[in-house]
Amino acid sequence: MEQKLDILLVDDDPIDLVFFGRAANQTRLNIRLQTLTAGQQAIDYLEAKGGYNDRSKYPLPDLIVLDLKMPEVNGFDFLAWRKASPLFSSIPVIIFTGSNEPDDIKRIFELGANKHIVKPTDLEDWEKVVRNAWDLGMEGTAFIRAQGIGAGINR
């Protein structure tokens, strides 16, 4: 059985969404990519609220890739919400941002992020970002999948 990874990408920059999606396709890895443009949308998605209540269309992700600097509910706000949630705190999160500020990096890890990746400036590096996300996602879900945990969740 081929491994599959459900990634939820949350970024308010449409260009970054396109570049990540293209890179995911180029890797030929079995990635199901869902994209959102706001932190509140990500919370609604995870809680299956509103238009996101159909888990066959909007499965729980194996990994969240999250921009830090977004309007309204930003990456810090999302991480704080996730950290307080017993249901969603175990989903690994990669902070994917243009910020390399030491205070930001310290804060994201305090809030429970698993990894920090600076957005690439070269198109060739986007595929490396996707492969890095794949590796973290596979590491995080290997035990769960091996144990059959979550088998009742539509994936």
Side-chain angles (χ1 to χ4, degrees):
M1 180 181 201
E2 184 182 7
Q3 292 182 312
K4 177 174 72 79
L5 187 69
D6 285 310
I7 297 177
L8 178 61
L9 173 62
V10 187
D11 195 321
D12 64 327
D13 186 334
I15 294 170
D16 289 342
L17 295 174
V18 168
F19 285 163
F20 193 100
R22 283 183 184 165
N25 287 336
Q26 288 174 345
T27 65
R28 302 213 187 280
L29 296 169
N30 191 5
I31 295 173
R32 179 175 175 170
L33 184 65
Q34 293 280 352
T35 61
L36 301 172
T37 58
Q40 185 60 53
Q41 285 179 327
I43 291 170
D44 292 347
Y45 180 103
L46 291 174
E47 292 182 335
K49 287 186 177 176
Y52 302 111
N53 63 353
D54 182 351
R55 282 290 181 221
S56 64
K57 288 170 65 174
Y58 306 105
L60 284 174
D62 299 309
L63 174 72
I64 299 168
V65 178
L66 179 72
D67 184 22
L68 194 57
K69 309 287 176 137
M70 294 182 287
E72 296 175 27
V73 177
N74 63 34
F76 295 118
D77 299 331
F78 177 86
L79 286 171
W81 169 85
R82 175 188 158 269
K83 186 175 182 176
S85 168
L87 290 174
F88 306 116
S89 61
S90 63
I91 300 172
V93 174
I94 294 174
I95 295 299
F96 185 54
T97 182
S99 174
N100 209 9
E101 293 294 319
D103 289 342
D104 286 350
I105 295 169
K106 179 182 178 200
R107 188 170 171 208
I108 65 166
F109 287 116
E110 288 172 350
L111 289 170
N114 300 84
K115 192 173 197 78
H116 170 264
I117 298 176
V118 175
K119 291 181 180 180
T121 54
D122 295 325
L123 291 175
E124 307 85 50
D125 293 332
W126 283 86
E127 193 172 325
K128 291 177 191 171
V129 168
V130 171
R131 289 186 183 282
N132 204 331
W134 172 270
D135 290 343
L136 179 66
M138 285 293 113
E139 175 185 306
T141 61
F143 173 77
I144 292 171
R145 290 175 188 217
Q147 300 300 314
I149 299 170
I153 298 172
N154 291 332
R155 289 201 173 268

